[in-house]
Amino acid sequence: MSTVKFFSGETVPLEMHKVRMVQKINLHPVEDRLASMQEAGFNTFLLKNRDVFLDMLTDSGVNAMSENQYAAMFQADDSYAGSETYYRLEAVLGDMFGTKHFLPVHQGRAAESIISQTLVKPGNTVLMNYHFTTSKAHITIRGGGIEEIIIDEGLKITSDYPFKGEMDLNKLQEAIARLGAENISFVRLEAGTNLVGGQPISVKNIREVSQICRNAGIITVFDASLLADNLYFIKTREAEFADVDIKAITREMGSLMDITYFSARKLGAARGGGILTSNDALANKMRELIPLFEGFLTYGGMSVREMEAMAVGLRETLDIDVISQTPIFVEALCKELLSKGVPVVTPPGGLGCHVDAGAFCDHIPQPEYPAGALAAALFIASGVRGMERGTLSEQRREDGTEPLAEMELVRLAIPKRVFTLSQIKYTADRLAWLYQNRRLIGGLTFDEEPKVLRFFFGRLKPIGDWPEKLAAQFRKDFGESL
Ligand code: F0G
């Protein structure tokens, strides 16, 4: 596993890989960073990569691939139908999850679209531990509703509960009794629960949810996009599995859930996605939609090269050295920030470090998007690009009012094997400076607001001239230093 105990007694992350190809990145002066942020409408999604120093927006499609993944790309079998590549990938997935059918799709949200088109009826409800932006959008666009039944601990920013992503079994049973099983499209469990801070679920919880749903005749859907980090936490936090082979764990998951889907931009460190099931009737229904929306059944909108890389990446996910790297770096960043007084979600999860923007910017009212403001301020102070995960990522209601998010977070994603420890330390240092100067950060308001998934391409403007004042303070404190 990728930590080492130093002579001093300290446990330190240790990379179990070496860097053999690099990309030059740029750290521009603070005035240029301010100008880039203005140009991007104070939305980190709209920044140009050439203006970004450390891109911690996401781990999606930006994980470092292994030499074996690149090598596999050269043996891809180009063909519209019946590609050998498809059968190789199908075999890997069947072996990993023990499932019978594999439907290829071009990325995770395409799987969500196919599953929702197949199962969601207007007026029905999908129960889930917690929503992800695209999963919710695909359900609501089909007239379905969602209910989040995560354990209460999951919504506490600070906690020492090891599996904060778990579904609350009492809430599940209560919802089934209240809504009636026939009105529930499916129950969705998300591994490494993204929007509450990359928080894992235990196998015990998956077993219990599966049991309750099978008894009630409700279909279960497993979002395995963030499974790699979750597997690491099962190995290290769930005693029963300390010595259990990782593949035995993934196979048990595959048997407990009726449908498993994933974004291979995360799981498998490639690009693309897939839907897995052993249920013939469900497979047949969903299969019809694949050629219509994705591509023929043996590529599903993916390039065969990416499919080969995915097959190898999925096999590598069964190696604890590979899957431990992100969680250990997330923990290192969280620890460094906590030692400087910066509030973060605890325990550290997978995916990235999640800064508690609600506490960091407690002077900014929620409708002025404190997490969006903090993400913009961090970019100005450091060139680090994070992602708002708060009210801005919600959707305005039809009546024009705004649902306020349960948590205001800024996510600093740690793509697999991309950053070094000194870059992590730099990020923590600039955030600590920002924390000291947090009263300089002000709110944001929309300039142009799209109706759906507004956080992707909406444009905002600052309330007042706080970005200029922040940049001036930075210049004063750091002098010529970038
Ligand atoms: N489910 C989860 C849990 C995700 O984190 C994502 C993507 C998806 C589904 C959709 O997959 O992007 O391949 O269509 N999360 C990315 C992120 C976008 O940055 O967290 P996709």
Side-chain angles (χ1 to χ4, degrees):
M1 201 172 319
S2 49
T3 54
V4 66
K5 201 162 183 179
F6 276 8
F7 187 45
S8 62
E10 198 189 351
T11 301
V12 179
L14 190 65
E15 293 84 346
M16 300 304 286
H17 53 265
K18 60 181 180 178
V19 178
R20 294 174 56 206
M21 197 191 279
V22 295
Q23 179 182 354
K24 169 98 176 69
I25 46 179
N26 303 305
L27 178 52
H28 299 295
V30 66
E31 292 77 13
D32 294 5
R33 301 194 297 254
L34 171 63
S36 303
M37 199 71 252
Q38 284 161 339
E39 198 188 310
F42 289 83
N43 179 348
T44 56
F45 274 98
L46 299 181
L47 285 165
K48 296 191 181 95
N49 233 8
R50 70 170 90 105
D51 299 323
V52 172
F53 177 45
L54 303 177
D55 189 3
M56 299 189 177
L57 185 74
T58 177
D59 64 337
S60 173
V62 292
N63 296 297
M65 295 208 299
S66 69
E67 56 186 347
N68 288 328
Q69 285 184 284
Y70 280 109
M73 291 175 112
F74 284 96
Q75 57 165 10
D77 179 23
D78 264 313
S79 89
Y80 187 86
S83 162
E84 253 325 280
T85 296
Y86 171 79
Y87 294 107
R88 272 196 281 273
L89 178 56
E90 183 191 41
V92 169
L93 283 161
D95 183 45
M96 189 169 169
F97 290 97
T99 42
K100 196 166 150 193
H101 305 282
F102 161 49
L103 304 174
V105 292
H106 78 273
Q107 64 182 90
R109 69 200 68 184
E112 291 167 340
S113 164
I114 304 272
I115 293 167
S116 295
Q117 288 186 62
T118 307
L119 296 176
V120 175
K121 293 200 195 84
N124 278 6
T125 303
V126 176
L127 303 176
M128 50 180 78
N129 49 343
Y130 209 71
H131 80 281
F132 181 68
T133 50
T134 55
S135 60
K136 180 175 172 179
H138 280 293
I139 293 161
T140 51
I141 215 164
R142 300 202 61 77
I146 67 147
E147 271 189 37
E148 294 166 320
I149 46 173
I150 195 164
I151 53 169
D152 292 344
E153 205 64 26
L155 296 178
K156 290 188 187 147
I157 301 264
T158 54
S159 163
D160 47 22
Y161 189 69
F163 293 102
K164 277 169 73 180
E166 285 181 346
M167 187 172 274
D168 187 313
L169 304 175
N170 291 329
K171 290 183 200 167
L172 173 61
Q173 274 161 328
E174 182 281 319
I176 296 173
R178 173 168 43 84
L179 298 166
E182 65 286 2
N183 298 316
I184 297 170
S185 309
F186 56 89
V187 169
R188 173 179 172 277
L189 258 186
E190 182 181 312
T193 324
N194 192 325
L195 296 190
V196 296
Q199 296 293 327
I201 52 180
S202 62
V203 175
K204 181 170 175 283
N205 192 243
I206 305 176
R207 283 178 184 153
E208 290 163 336
V209 169
S210 167
Q211 187 67 49
I212 292 171
C213 292
R214 287 199 171 148
N215 288 345
I218 300 170
I219 293 170
T220 47
V221 174
F222 188 46
D223 181 347
S225 305
L226 290 166
L227 183 62
D229 296 338
N230 202 130
L231 283 167
Y232 167 78
F233 291 122
I234 287 169
K235 286 288 291 175
T236 52
R237 296 181 186 173
E238 193 168 1
E240 180 186 341
F241 296 95
D243 299 317
V244 176
D245 186 48
I246 296 176
K247 202 198 315 184
I249 304 175
T250 53
R251 287 181 75 94
E252 178 169 355
M253 291 171 169
S255 75
L256 289 170
M257 304 302 281
D258 297 318
I259 298 174
T260 294
Y261 76 91
F262 62 95
S263 166
R265 299 174 65 81
K266 293 175 184 268
L267 185 65
R271 282 136 201 100
I275 305 174
L276 306 165
T277 183
S278 294
N279 181 316
D280 296 338
L282 281 175
N284 287 341
K285 270 200 206 163
M286 292 189 285
R287 184 176 289 119
E288 289 172 11
L289 300 172
I290 304 287
L292 194 56
F293 292 101
E294 299 301 300
F296 190 67
L297 288 173
T298 53
Y299 73 93
M302 287 184 275
S303 107
V304 280
R305 283 163 195 77
E306 290 295 351
M307 290 166 75
E308 291 285 0
M310 191 201 300
V312 174
L314 287 166
R315 274 204 302 271
E316 290 174 353
T317 299
L318 304 175
D319 177 347
I320 192 87
D321 280 345
V322 173
I323 62 174
S324 57
Q325 202 264 329
T326 289
I328 284 166
F329 265 48
V330 172
E331 190 180 346
L333 180 52
C334 287
K335 267 194 190 158
E336 188 94 14
L337 287 171
L338 285 169
S339 74
K340 296 170 193 295
V342 179
V344 297
V345 171
T346 59
L351 172 62
C353 169
H354 291 75
V355 181
D356 176 7
F360 199 114
C361 297
D362 57 7
H363 57 290
I364 302 178
Q366 252 190 308
E368 293 179 13
Y369 313 123
L374 178 56
L378 175 62
F379 179 78
I380 295 168
S382 65
V384 173
R385 161 153 75 166
M387 187 192 285
E388 193 272 359
R389 296 276 77 158
T391 297
L392 231 160
S393 298
E394 297 285 339
Q395 199 157 304
R396 197 178 286 279
R397 298 189 191 96
E398 282 299 323
D399 66 5
T401 59
E402 253 188 325
L404 299 179
E406 275 155 322
M407 296 182 181
E408 291 290 336
L409 305 177
V410 171
R411 176 178 95 179
L412 301 171
I414 310 287
K416 293 171 186 58
R417 299 179 291 202
V418 169
F419 296 124
T420 61
L421 262 190
S422 48
Q423 291 170 334
I424 296 286
K425 279 177 178 291
Y426 167 82
T427 306
D429 178 77
R430 292 305 192 252
L431 256 171
W433 175 82
L434 202 53
Y435 189 61
Q436 299 262 311
N437 292 280
R438 62 189 180 279
R439 300 283 168 226
L440 289 177
I441 308 171
L444 297 174
T445 180
F446 265 105
D447 223 359
E448 291 166 31
E449 182 179 346
K451 267 190 94 162
V452 181
L453 298 176
R454 63 184 184 178
F455 60 93
F456 277 137
F457 48 96
R459 296 184 67 83
L460 299 113
K461 57 184 178 206
I463 299 170
D465 61 351
W466 65 262
E468 287 79 2
K469 287 192 176 130
L470 185 73
Q473 187 65 43
F474 183 92
R475 173 60 69 206
K476 197 164 151 243
D477 288 355
F478 289 92
E480 284 313 301
S481 154
L482 294 171

mmCIF file of all heavy atoms in Angstrom, residues 57-60 107-110 112 132 134 188 190-191 194 223 225-226 261 263-266 272 351 387 389 411 456, ligand 1:
data_model
loop_
_atom_site.group_PDB
_atom_site.id
_atom_site.type_symbol
_atom_site.label_atom_id
_atom_site.label_comp_id
_atom_site.label_asym_id
_atom_site.label_seq_id
_atom_site.Cartn_x
_atom_site.Cartn_y
_atom_site.Cartn_z
ATOM 1 N N LEU A 57 -10.169 20.276 -10.872
ATOM 2 C CA LEU A 57 -11.598 20.361 -11.147
ATOM 3 C C LEU A 57 -12.252 19.004 -10.941
ATOM 4 O O LEU A 57 -13.311 18.893 -10.333
ATOM 5 C CB LEU A 57 -11.817 20.823 -12.593
ATOM 6 C CG LEU A 57 -13.264 21.074 -13.004
ATOM 7 C CD1 LEU A 57 -13.792 22.368 -12.404
ATOM 8 C CD2 LEU A 57 -13.407 21.121 -14.529
ATOM 9 N N THR A 58 -11.621 17.977 -11.466
ATOM 10 C CA THR A 58 -12.234 16.646 -11.434
ATOM 11 C C THR A 58 -11.169 15.577 -11.614
ATOM 12 O O THR A 58 -10.035 15.870 -12.008
ATOM 13 C CB THR A 58 -13.284 16.520 -12.555
ATOM 14 O OG1 THR A 58 -13.824 15.189 -12.539
ATOM 15 C CG2 THR A 58 -12.725 16.802 -13.929
ATOM 16 N N ASP A 59 -11.562 14.354 -11.328
ATOM 17 C CA ASP A 59 -10.707 13.201 -11.639
ATOM 18 C C ASP A 59 -11.266 12.486 -12.867
ATOM 19 O O ASP A 59 -10.865 11.380 -13.179
ATOM 20 C CB ASP A 59 -10.656 12.240 -10.453
ATOM 21 C CG ASP A 59 -12.024 11.635 -10.170
ATOM 22 O OD1 ASP A 59 -13.045 12.245 -10.564
ATOM 23 O OD2 ASP A 59 -12.090 10.559 -9.552
ATOM 24 N N SER A 60 -12.217 13.123 -13.540
ATOM 25 C CA SER A 60 -12.929 12.460 -14.630
ATOM 26 C C SER A 60 -12.164 12.558 -15.941
ATOM 27 O O SER A 60 -11.986 13.653 -16.478
ATOM 28 C CB SER A 60 -14.306 13.111 -14.778
ATOM 29 O OG SER A 60 -14.959 12.623 -15.913
ATOM 30 N N GLN A 107 -20.289 7.320 -21.848
ATOM 31 C CA GLN A 107 -19.795 7.740 -20.520
ATOM 32 C C GLN A 107 -20.878 7.487 -19.480
ATOM 33 O O GLN A 107 -21.954 6.976 -19.808
ATOM 34 C CB GLN A 107 -19.284 9.174 -20.511
ATOM 35 C CG GLN A 107 -20.299 10.268 -20.803
ATOM 36 C CD GLN A 107 -19.610 11.648 -20.814
ATOM 37 O OE1 GLN A 107 -19.158 12.095 -21.848
ATOM 38 N NE2 GLN A 107 -19.549 12.314 -19.674
ATOM 39 N N GLY A 108 -20.615 7.829 -18.220
ATOM 40 C CA GLY A 108 -21.528 7.463 -17.138
ATOM 41 C C GLY A 108 -22.943 7.986 -17.313
ATOM 42 O O GLY A 108 -23.930 7.264 -17.109
ATOM 43 N N ARG A 109 -23.070 9.242 -17.722
ATOM 44 C CA ARG A 109 -24.414 9.834 -17.825
ATOM 45 C C ARG A 109 -25.223 9.193 -18.940
ATOM 46 O O ARG A 109 -26.448 9.240 -18.914
ATOM 47 C CB ARG A 109 -24.308 11.357 -17.973
ATOM 48 C CG ARG A 109 -23.751 11.818 -19.268
ATOM 49 C CD ARG A 109 -23.239 13.233 -19.156
ATOM 50 N NE ARG A 109 -22.051 13.316 -18.289
ATOM 51 C CZ ARG A 109 -21.443 14.444 -17.963
ATOM 52 N NH1 ARG A 109 -21.908 15.582 -18.397
ATOM 53 N NH2 ARG A 109 -20.377 14.432 -17.190
ATOM 54 N N ALA A 110 -24.555 8.600 -19.905
ATOM 55 C CA ALA A 110 -25.275 7.887 -20.964
ATOM 56 C C ALA A 110 -25.915 6.636 -20.359
ATOM 57 O O ALA A 110 -27.041 6.270 -20.699
ATOM 58 C CB ALA A 110 -24.319 7.518 -22.085
ATOM 59 N N GLU A 112 -26.882 6.471 -17.304
ATOM 60 C CA GLU A 112 -28.005 7.014 -16.516
ATOM 61 C C GLU A 112 -29.202 7.304 -17.412
ATOM 62 O O GLU A 112 -30.350 7.061 -17.034
ATOM 63 C CB GLU A 112 -27.559 8.273 -15.774
ATOM 64 C CG GLU A 112 -26.557 7.944 -14.672
ATOM 65 C CD GLU A 112 -25.839 9.165 -14.116
ATOM 66 O OE1 GLU A 112 -25.801 10.218 -14.783
ATOM 67 O OE2 GLU A 112 -25.306 9.053 -12.992
ATOM 68 N N PHE A 132 -26.337 12.368 -7.693
ATOM 69 C CA PHE A 132 -25.267 13.022 -8.422
ATOM 70 C C PHE A 132 -25.952 13.909 -9.460
ATOM 71 O O PHE A 132 -27.060 13.597 -9.895
ATOM 72 C CB PHE A 132 -24.298 12.016 -9.061
ATOM 73 C CG PHE A 132 -23.188 12.725 -9.779
ATOM 74 C CD1 PHE A 132 -22.242 13.435 -9.055
ATOM 75 C CD2 PHE A 132 -23.132 12.768 -11.155
ATOM 76 C CE1 PHE A 132 -21.257 14.171 -9.709
ATOM 77 C CE2 PHE A 132 -22.150 13.496 -11.809
ATOM 78 C CZ PHE A 132 -21.206 14.197 -11.084
ATOM 79 N N THR A 134 -25.841 14.552 -12.683
ATOM 80 C CA THR A 134 -26.368 13.992 -13.941
ATOM 81 C C THR A 134 -27.402 12.899 -13.674
ATOM 82 O O THR A 134 -28.360 12.760 -14.423
ATOM 83 C CB THR A 134 -25.223 13.442 -14.825
ATOM 84 O OG1 THR A 134 -24.465 12.504 -14.056
ATOM 85 C CG2 THR A 134 -24.322 14.551 -15.311
ATOM 86 N N ARG A 188 -31.235 3.490 -5.955
ATOM 87 C CA ARG A 188 -29.892 3.713 -6.497
ATOM 88 C C ARG A 188 -28.880 3.914 -5.364
ATOM 89 O O ARG A 188 -29.071 4.778 -4.506
ATOM 90 C CB ARG A 188 -29.903 4.959 -7.395
ATOM 91 C CG ARG A 188 -28.538 5.390 -7.892
ATOM 92 C CD ARG A 188 -28.647 6.606 -8.795
ATOM 93 N NE ARG A 188 -27.333 7.131 -9.111
ATOM 94 C CZ ARG A 188 -26.637 7.957 -8.319
ATOM 95 N NH1 ARG A 188 -27.152 8.381 -7.188
ATOM 96 N NH2 ARG A 188 -25.428 8.368 -8.675
ATOM 97 N N GLU A 190 -24.942 4.783 -4.617
ATOM 98 C CA GLU A 190 -23.743 5.339 -5.272
ATOM 99 C C GLU A 190 -22.515 5.034 -4.428
ATOM 100 O O GLU A 190 -22.464 5.417 -3.257
ATOM 101 C CB GLU A 190 -23.930 6.851 -5.433
ATOM 102 C CG GLU A 190 -22.785 7.541 -6.145
ATOM 103 C CD GLU A 190 -23.016 9.047 -6.251
ATOM 104 O OE1 GLU A 190 -24.117 9.467 -6.644
ATOM 105 O OE2 GLU A 190 -22.088 9.793 -5.909
ATOM 106 N N ALA A 191 -21.551 4.364 -5.012
ATOM 107 C CA ALA A 191 -20.281 4.118 -4.316
ATOM 108 C C ALA A 191 -19.507 5.431 -4.242
ATOM 109 O O ALA A 191 -19.628 6.282 -5.126
ATOM 110 C CB ALA A 191 -19.471 3.069 -5.063
ATOM 111 N N ASN A 194 -20.300 10.962 -4.260
ATOM 112 C CA ASN A 194 -19.599 12.131 -4.783
ATOM 113 C C ASN A 194 -19.934 13.416 -4.028
ATOM 114 O O ASN A 194 -19.067 14.071 -3.439
ATOM 115 C CB ASN A 194 -19.946 12.268 -6.273
ATOM 116 C CG ASN A 194 -19.079 13.264 -7.002
ATOM 117 O OD1 ASN A 194 -18.694 14.273 -6.447
ATOM 118 N ND2 ASN A 194 -18.767 12.997 -8.257
ATOM 119 N N ASP A 223 -24.310 2.656 -8.766
ATOM 120 C CA ASP A 223 -23.410 3.547 -9.503
ATOM 121 C C ASP A 223 -21.987 3.283 -9.007
ATOM 122 O O ASP A 223 -21.615 3.692 -7.909
ATOM 123 C CB ASP A 223 -23.816 5.014 -9.269
ATOM 124 C CG ASP A 223 -22.913 5.984 -10.044
ATOM 125 O OD1 ASP A 223 -21.862 5.562 -10.541
ATOM 126 O OD2 ASP A 223 -23.284 7.177 -10.130
ATOM 127 N N SER A 225 -19.165 4.302 -10.387
ATOM 128 C CA SER A 225 -18.168 5.213 -10.970
ATOM 129 C C SER A 225 -16.996 5.448 -10.015
ATOM 130 O O SER A 225 -15.835 5.456 -10.415
ATOM 131 C CB SER A 225 -18.820 6.553 -11.322
ATOM 132 O OG SER A 225 -19.924 6.359 -12.164
ATOM 133 N N LEU A 226 -17.306 5.628 -8.729
ATOM 134 C CA LEU A 226 -16.248 5.918 -7.754
ATOM 135 C C LEU A 226 -15.886 4.682 -6.915
ATOM 136 O O LEU A 226 -15.482 4.794 -5.762
ATOM 137 C CB LEU A 226 -16.678 7.091 -6.863
ATOM 138 C CG LEU A 226 -16.717 8.430 -7.603
ATOM 139 C CD1 LEU A 226 -17.456 9.500 -6.795
ATOM 140 C CD2 LEU A 226 -15.315 8.912 -7.915
ATOM 141 N N TYR A 261 -23.722 0.278 -13.057
ATOM 142 C CA TYR A 261 -23.214 1.095 -14.166
ATOM 143 C C TYR A 261 -22.042 1.911 -13.684
ATOM 144 O O TYR A 261 -21.837 2.079 -12.477
ATOM 145 C CB TYR A 261 -24.325 1.985 -14.760
ATOM 146 C CG TYR A 261 -24.699 3.209 -13.940
ATOM 147 C CD1 TYR A 261 -24.055 4.434 -14.146
ATOM 148 C CD2 TYR A 261 -25.703 3.158 -12.985
ATOM 149 C CE1 TYR A 261 -24.405 5.563 -13.422
ATOM 150 C CE2 TYR A 261 -26.058 4.288 -12.252
ATOM 151 C CZ TYR A 261 -25.407 5.481 -12.472
ATOM 152 O OH TYR A 261 -25.752 6.597 -11.739
ATOM 153 N N SER A 263 -18.964 5.179 -14.875
ATOM 154 C CA SER A 263 -18.228 6.053 -15.771
ATOM 155 C C SER A 263 -16.795 5.542 -15.791
ATOM 156 O O SER A 263 -16.133 5.519 -14.750
ATOM 157 C CB SER A 263 -18.252 7.490 -15.232
ATOM 158 O OG SER A 263 -17.278 8.252 -15.923
ATOM 159 N N ALA A 264 -16.312 5.146 -16.965
ATOM 160 C CA ALA A 264 -14.924 4.682 -17.055
ATOM 161 C C ALA A 264 -13.944 5.852 -17.117
ATOM 162 O O ALA A 264 -12.740 5.662 -17.146
ATOM 163 C CB ALA A 264 -14.752 3.779 -18.267
ATOM 164 N N ARG A 265 -14.479 7.068 -17.125
ATOM 165 C CA ARG A 265 -13.616 8.231 -16.975
ATOM 166 C C ARG A 265 -13.044 8.244 -15.559
ATOM 167 O O ARG A 265 -12.052 8.904 -15.280
ATOM 168 C CB ARG A 265 -14.400 9.516 -17.240
ATOM 169 C CG ARG A 265 -14.981 9.588 -18.657
ATOM 170 C CD ARG A 265 -15.858 10.794 -18.832
ATOM 171 N NE ARG A 265 -15.084 12.022 -18.715
ATOM 172 C CZ ARG A 265 -14.356 12.541 -19.699
ATOM 173 N NH1 ARG A 265 -14.334 11.965 -20.876
ATOM 174 N NH2 ARG A 265 -13.675 13.639 -19.511
ATOM 175 N N LYS A 266 -13.726 7.524 -14.655
ATOM 176 C CA LYS A 266 -13.241 7.377 -13.276
ATOM 177 C C LYS A 266 -12.808 5.926 -13.064
ATOM 178 O O LYS A 266 -11.630 5.645 -12.938
ATOM 179 C CB LYS A 266 -14.336 7.769 -12.291
ATOM 180 C CG LYS A 266 -14.657 9.252 -12.348
ATOM 181 C CD LYS A 266 -15.827 9.590 -11.435
ATOM 182 C CE LYS A 266 -16.218 11.035 -11.542
ATOM 183 N NZ LYS A 266 -15.575 11.920 -10.581
ATOM 184 N N GLY A 272 -15.246 6.510 -21.246
ATOM 185 C CA GLY A 272 -16.320 5.614 -21.664
ATOM 186 C C GLY A 272 -17.156 5.193 -20.472
ATOM 187 O O GLY A 272 -17.152 5.863 -19.427
ATOM 188 N N LEU A 351 -11.763 10.601 -4.138
ATOM 189 C CA LEU A 351 -12.057 11.617 -5.141
ATOM 190 C C LEU A 351 -11.313 12.929 -4.984
ATOM 191 O O LEU A 351 -10.673 13.417 -5.900
ATOM 192 C CB LEU A 351 -13.588 11.852 -5.178
ATOM 193 C CG LEU A 351 -14.193 12.968 -5.979
ATOM 194 C CD1 LEU A 351 -13.908 12.808 -7.473
ATOM 195 C CD2 LEU A 351 -15.691 13.010 -5.763
ATOM 196 N N MET A 387 -13.720 22.811 -7.875
ATOM 197 C CA MET A 387 -15.087 22.785 -8.393
ATOM 198 C C MET A 387 -16.086 23.116 -7.292
ATOM 199 O O MET A 387 -16.012 22.553 -6.195
ATOM 200 C CB MET A 387 -15.424 21.408 -8.959
ATOM 201 C CG MET A 387 -16.777 21.376 -9.664
ATOM 202 S SD MET A 387 -17.343 19.703 -10.025
ATOM 203 C CE MET A 387 -16.316 19.250 -11.413
ATOM 204 N N ARG A 389 -19.302 22.724 -5.324
ATOM 205 C CA ARG A 389 -20.295 21.680 -5.099
ATOM 206 C C ARG A 389 -21.207 22.174 -3.980
ATOM 207 O O ARG A 389 -21.069 21.824 -2.828
ATOM 208 C CB ARG A 389 -19.639 20.346 -4.730
ATOM 209 C CG ARG A 389 -18.775 19.736 -5.808
ATOM 210 C CD ARG A 389 -19.484 18.915 -6.871
ATOM 211 N NE ARG A 389 -20.186 19.626 -7.905
ATOM 212 C CZ ARG A 389 -20.486 19.086 -9.095
ATOM 213 N NH1 ARG A 389 -20.106 17.858 -9.388
ATOM 214 N NH2 ARG A 389 -21.162 19.757 -9.983
ATOM 215 N N ARG A 411 -14.591 21.316 -4.026
ATOM 216 C CA ARG A 411 -13.902 20.041 -4.196
ATOM 217 C C ARG A 411 -12.565 20.257 -4.884
ATOM 218 O O ARG A 411 -12.499 20.898 -5.925
ATOM 219 C CB ARG A 411 -14.786 19.135 -5.041
ATOM 220 C CG ARG A 411 -14.150 17.825 -5.380
ATOM 221 C CD ARG A 411 -15.112 16.980 -6.182
ATOM 222 N NE ARG A 411 -14.871 17.127 -7.598
ATOM 223 C CZ ARG A 411 -15.560 16.479 -8.534
ATOM 224 N NH1 ARG A 411 -16.566 15.695 -8.182
ATOM 225 N NH2 ARG A 411 -15.282 16.636 -9.802
ATOM 226 N N PHE A 456 -22.336 24.114 -15.203
ATOM 227 C CA PHE A 456 -21.369 23.820 -16.260
ATOM 228 C C PHE A 456 -21.004 25.062 -17.067
ATOM 229 O O PHE A 456 -19.855 25.308 -17.343
ATOM 230 C CB PHE A 456 -21.932 22.773 -17.228
ATOM 231 C CG PHE A 456 -21.756 21.348 -16.766
ATOM 232 C CD1 PHE A 456 -22.786 20.426 -16.901
ATOM 233 C CD2 PHE A 456 -20.560 20.917 -16.217
ATOM 234 C CE1 PHE A 456 -22.630 19.108 -16.493
ATOM 235 C CE2 PHE A 456 -20.389 19.606 -15.802
ATOM 236 C CZ PHE A 456 -21.424 18.703 -15.949
HETATM 237 N N1 F0G B 1 -21.908 9.061 -11.297
HETATM 238 C C1 F0G B 1 -20.962 9.593 -10.507
HETATM 239 C C2 F0G B 1 -20.889 9.192 -9.079
HETATM 240 C C3 F0G B 1 -20.075 10.535 -11.028
HETATM 241 O O1 F0G B 1 -19.157 11.059 -10.229
HETATM 242 C C4 F0G B 1 -20.173 10.900 -12.388
HETATM 243 C C5 F0G B 1 -19.295 11.909 -12.956
HETATM 244 C C6 F0G B 1 -21.172 10.302 -13.173
HETATM 245 C C7 F0G B 1 -22.021 9.387 -12.592
HETATM 246 C C8 F0G B 1 -21.339 10.669 -14.626
HETATM 247 O O2 F0G B 1 -20.316 10.123 -15.368
HETATM 248 O O3 F0G B 1 -19.109 12.118 -16.331
HETATM 249 O O4 F0G B 1 -18.826 9.832 -17.309
HETATM 250 O O5 F0G B 1 -20.945 11.052 -17.585
HETATM 251 N N2 F0G B 1 -18.614 12.716 -12.274
HETATM 252 C C9 F0G B 1 -17.709 13.700 -12.795
HETATM 253 C C10 F0G B 1 -17.122 14.502 -11.662
HETATM 254 C C11 F0G B 1 -18.264 14.575 -13.867
HETATM 255 O O6 F0G B 1 -16.386 15.456 -11.950
HETATM 256 O O7 F0G B 1 -17.324 14.189 -10.480
HETATM 257 P P1 F0G B 1 -19.763 10.833 -16.707
#
